[in-house]
Every structure is written in structure tokens, then in C-alpha cells.
Amino acid sequence: MLFWILTGAMALVVALGLAWSVVMGRRETGPAEAFDLQVYRDQLTEIDSDAARGKIDPEEAERLRVEISRRLLAADAKATSETAATNQPKGISGAVAAVVAVLMLGGGFGMYSLLGAPGYPDQPLKMRMLTAQQNLRDRGSQAEAEAAVPQMPAPEGATEDYLALVEKLRAAVANRPDDLQGQTLLARSEAAIGNYKASYAAQQAIIRIKGDSATAKDYADLADMMVLAAGGYVSPEAQKALEQALQMDPKNGVARFYGGLMMAQTGRPDIGFRMWNALMEESQPDDPWMSPIRAQIEEMAMRAGQHKFQLPPEPGLKGPSAADVAAAQDMTDEDRQNMIRGMVGQLSERLATEGGTPDEWARLISSLGVLGDTEQAGRIWTEAQAVFEGKDDALATIRAAAERVGVAQ
């Protein structure tokens, strides 16, 4: 209530000031031309005095009187028109003043109702940072988040036969809890049917079985399944898995993505934006976290105060233009081969320096096969396996091209 009283009083004072200026807004000294009139009259008096004392000739005095009189008449006419223009009817002035007051009071109230937060306390930077730290420390657990997530039905693609196989797998793993292969298969199967709680339980068993040989990917996969089970919420338990993954591999993309999401959820979108922006610049277009980052990073930037941020265009598959294809049809076989070799060389250099999509790697291998350079195609296939290690879908695309060329191992 005190806030509304103070802001209402301030708005009323400003509105009354503006209204008073509209109603009574005339210069007490009159228009500027009134000063000119007085100056011209004084000049006429001085000319008469100088002519009487003989300081100027009568002819010169007459010429000066005519010139100054002309200026006097012009200034008088302008002063009269200015006075008439400023003497607007009081009714119109009152109406304008009322409109100004309504706009100030009603418009200000309406704008604050839409954009403001009535009753919300001041939020200085230091207080917001302390609040974010408290949110990070006191946020809900994994179990609390899972309890709030509604039970999801099995995906449409999950047939009764598949669900029956998953049930058998559960029973088999229950009898052999230390079977690494069984737990791995169970984690994937449970995730495939949307049962993420059981999926991350199997992933925890995988980490337990592996012990010190567990990788950063294992911990990142655990955090991924926990976040999905919690409906997109990064819990303290998931945070521990993320921290373990980043400790083992600071470049792990899944852990960095969820780390940025956690910062945004706890009131630090500035940190989240920096994490996502750096990850986006270092990632390949087909990395699984790129799509959600591109969908949300603009909002994250706005919340972080980065209003000048612009989402970079999504890179696409680069290839020969229509003009290149048309020109190739008129070339000799030798010229066409040389052109293809030049384009293949450019693609190979760009993939080596900037990276690219699996489709581009596959196209490079296929092109080398067409040129008969299977040795180079084999080296590219070996390099692609290292670049896309752990990305089965990407490797499947490139492997298909390598198999067509005959260089797949």
C-alpha cells in the first residue's frame, strides 16, 4: 500500500505540473517582438534628439526615421499575431490538461500493471546472487521432482512383444545384478520405453560394476536419465553426476548442457548463457544438445541481459551450386575430374579445420571413392571414427558410405 501511495502521489504531482503548464503556459513578459518594439521606439527618440542638436543632417534623419518605422510596423504586426495565437480558449486548455492528467495517471498505472511486479521487493544484484545461491542449495530432491511428474504411457512404437522382452530382461538382471552387459541393455531398453527412473537405476548399477573404470560418459548418461525422469529438472543428485562427469572430462557436452540448464533454473541465467554459448561454438551441428540449445538460448540471453546476442545461422550441408553442375556438363572428362578433385579438396580441408556434419563426412568418403582414391577414403573413415566416437547414429551414416566404397573395417 505504501508503494502505491508514494507512486500515486508522485504521478499526481507530475500530472498537475504538466496540466498547469498547458492551462497557464504564457510568458509574463509577452512575446519576444515586444522587446523589439521598445528598441525601435528608443531609436526614433534618439534620432529626433540628434537631429535637433545638429549631429545628423535632416535628410539622413528622415531616411533613418522611415527605415526604423518600417521595422516597427513589422514587429508590431508579428507581436499582434503571436498574442492572438497564444490566447487559446480556456475550454480547450482545460480539456488538454485533463487528457494529460489521465494519460499520466491511468497510463502509468496500466503500464506498471502489465510490466511491473506489484508487491515484489527490491532485487539488487547482490540480493539476486544470494537468492540464486540459496535456490541452488535448497532446491528439491530427485525423489520430490519425480513425484510431481505424471506417469507417462509407453511410447506408441513399443509393441506388446517388446514390452514382454523388457519384462524378461528385468527378471534376468534381477537374478544377475552384477552382469554389466545385462545392466547396459536394461538401461537402454527402459529409456526407450520412457521408464527413465528404472533406466537411471540400471545406469547406477553400471557405474557400480565398472568402479574406477567408469567414464565421464557413464556419469553424463546417468545425469541425463535422472533429468528426464524429473521432467527436465536438474536435481542435486543429478548435479553430483554432472560434476563427476566434468571432473573426468571438462569437454563433455551433455554435462555442460545440463550444467547451463541448472544455472538457469536456480536464478543464474548469466552463467547458463555463457556455458551454452561456449558449448554451441565448440559443438558439431548434429550433436544432440545443439537443437535444445538453439531453441532456448535466445530466451536465456534475454534473461541474462545479453540483448545484443544474435543466434548464428544453422550450418547446412555445403555442396556445388546449380551453376557448378551446369558447367560440369559441358566439360571434358579430364576437366570434370579436376573440378571434382578441387571441390573434394576444399571439403576435406574444411572438415579438417572446421568440422562438419556426418552427411558431409559421408559425402567426402563417397567422392573419394568415385575418384578411385580409396586409400584416402580409408584414412577419412578412420578419422571420422575418432571424431564421432560414442555417437552411434552419426557413425552409422558415415559407415554406410565407407561400406559402399569398400573401406569400412
Side-chain angles (χ1 to χ4, degrees), residues 3 157 182 207 360:
F3 169 80
I207 294 174
E360 289 175 315

Side-chain angles (χ1 to χ4, degrees), residues 302-349:
M302 183 183 67
R303 293 175 57 196
Q306 301 292 333
H307 302 294
K308 295 183 179 180
F309 171 77
Q310 291 184 347
L311 184 65
E314 188 170 5
L317 186 65
K318 298 181 180 178
S321 63
D324 294 332
V325 175
Q329 295 176 352
D330 299 330
M331 292 181 178
T332 64
D333 291 341
E334 182 179 357
D335 291 339
R336 188 180 299 110
Q337 286 288 98
N338 291 334
M339 186 193 77
I340 295 174
R341 289 185 183 277
M343 296 175 62
V344 169
Q346 293 177 1
L347 177 59
S348 178
E349 182 179 358

Side-chain angles (χ1 to χ4, degrees), residues 257-271:
F257 168 74
Y258 282 127
L261 179 62
M262 181 185 68
M263 288 292 101
Q265 291 177 350
T266 55
R268 291 304 304 268
D270 54 329
I271 298 178

